[in-house]
Amino acid sequence: MNRLTSPPVLAIDAGNSKTDVAIVAADGSVLGTARGGGFNPPVVGTETAVAGLARIVERAAAEAGLPLDGSPLAGHVSACLANCDLPVEEQQLEIAVHDRGWGLSTHVANDTFAVLRAGVDGPRGVAVVCGAGINCVGMLPDGRTARFPAIGRISGDWGGGAFLAEEALWWAARAEDGRGGPTALATALPEHFGLTSMYALIGALHLGQVPPSRKHELTSVLFSTAESGDPVARAIVDRQADEIVAMATVALTRLDLLHDEAEVVLGGGVLAARRPLLLDGIAERLAVRAPKAVIRVVTAPPVLGAALLGLDRTGAPAEAHARLRAHYAGS
């Protein structure tokens, strides 16, 4: 297959825990897909991380029936990557991905842009992702964007599933030993693991008897405890709603959308769980700060957003966008 007949878009959505690749034809048909592990260049290095992407791209190409002979697999590569938070990181990763020769052109962006584009009909709006961490981006059809560094507390971030679990543990530990006020979290958190006290849970986590990978389960315990009326748990959830709305409001303001009707897309595991206490809190606060904002919880896979961004850049017709969305709506 030569440059003239290559599909127009190779889409990559690479998150911390998994990577999805899709090869999309000019009419929006999905020719091949593949899934692999997470993308973490700060841990393994850029070269190793991109080599991991290559193995997944090769499997998608094989499914699409494309030869792996060194010729471009697509006209354009649209890669939305986790751990791509600063402009310099985008530039470095864009060079590394483009050097693979998968497409004639390449655009790399933070993976939150994929969530945003998956949730809006066109490249206009704001997205807040609250998964393991928290991030927010916005974009306009003219190419302007709004974003945050989103690299943890040093960049002013608060929240996300991992943070919420730690926060719940902090308050529960202090409630049990007397340094803090009472909260039902002190019994609910250890009970989740079949333990009788926070002291026992602290020891189990420290000694590895409860694997660190299971700590994220405590986020759902936090929400259940808050929904049962516990004031400490409720305050943590309220703070998370405050932070989500603060990020969305700033992004809307930067894009001159604060007083216009604009979509605010909510994604990531914490928000996709649709906990009423959190979503209602977001809606109430956003109604005050951005009354015309339209909230949408996105459930479509982010690779759809990466592919749509690619179709945007290649000038694909609306019918191609619709066919692509239909594919993922039925998957």
Side-chain angles (χ1 to χ4, degrees):
M1 184 166 289
N2 59 39
R3 294 185 176 191
L4 295 178
T5 58
S6 296
V9 174
L10 166 63
I12 303 171
D13 170 64
N16 285 298
S17 60
K18 65 177 175 60
T19 296
D20 282 316
V21 172
I23 297 175
V24 181
D27 66 354
S29 300
V30 177
L31 304 177
T33 64
R35 171 169 288 186
F39 183 77
N40 203 332
V43 174
V44 303
T46 297
E47 184 176 342
T48 300
V50 175
L53 293 183
R55 292 188 287 272
I56 307 168
V57 168
E58 288 168 3
R59 288 195 280 114
E63 183 177 292
L66 299 175
L68 296 170
D69 57 6
S71 61
L73 299 172
H76 179 70
V77 178
S78 175
C80 296
L81 310 177
N83 301 295
C84 179
D85 299 302
L86 302 176
V88 65
E89 293 172 318
E90 282 188 345
Q91 294 164 9
Q92 292 169 348
L93 286 166
E94 187 165 287
I95 292 169
V97 171
H98 188 68
D99 284 348
R100 286 280 167 171
W102 296 328
L104 303 180
S105 62
T106 302
H107 180 70
V108 165
N110 181 271
D111 58 338
T112 308
F113 283 100
V115 175
L116 172 54
R117 189 63 183 88
V120 294
D121 294 330
R124 180 181 184 274
V126 166
V128 181
V129 173
C130 190
I134 189 167
N135 199 359
C136 174
V137 300
M139 63 182 174
L140 292 173
D142 63 10
R144 284 185 291 157
T145 63
R147 58 187 301 175
F148 297 83
I151 50 179
R153 289 185 64 83
I154 64 169
S155 60
D157 305 336
W158 193 100
F163 185 97
L164 293 174
E166 292 278 357
E167 191 78 354
L169 284 164
W170 190 87
W171 285 99
R174 293 172 69 87
E176 181 168 276
D177 67 21
R179 286 177 292 172
T183 170
L185 291 168
T187 54
L189 299 187
E191 282 178 357
H192 176 76
F193 294 110
L195 300 172
T196 58
S197 68
M198 275 302 300
Y199 184 82
L201 177 55
I202 292 164
L205 286 168
H206 179 66
L207 298 173
Q209 295 160 349
V210 172
S213 60
R214 294 194 62 192
K215 193 184 295 185
H216 72 91
E217 297 173 18
L218 298 177
T219 305
S220 63
V221 180
L222 166 66
F223 278 99
S224 296
T225 306
E227 289 158 1
S228 297
D230 180 75
V232 171
R234 175 69 183 257
I236 297 172
V237 175
D238 285 346
R239 173 71 187 275
Q240 184 65 92
D242 288 339
E243 291 293 326
I244 289 167
V245 171
M247 294 185 93
T249 302
V250 170
L252 289 167
T253 301
R254 290 177 181 173
L255 296 175
D256 298 320
L257 293 175
L258 187 62
H259 303 294
D260 295 342
E261 185 172 304
E263 288 178 303
V264 174
V265 176
L266 305 179
V270 172
L271 290 165
R274 296 178 182 267
R275 305 300 297 231
L277 186 61
L278 179 60
L279 292 186
D280 290 349
I282 293 169
E284 290 168 5
R285 290 162 173 78
L286 203 56
V288 173
R289 301 186 66 177
K292 293 186 177 181
V294 178
I295 296 174
R296 178 183 294 185
V297 179
V298 64
T299 56
V303 70
L304 166 63
L308 288 169
L309 287 168
L311 291 180
D312 292 340
R313 284 184 171 259
T314 59
E319 294 80 5
H321 289 74
R323 182 172 288 107
L324 181 61
R325 280 196 179 277
H327 173 87
Y328 282 100
S331 62

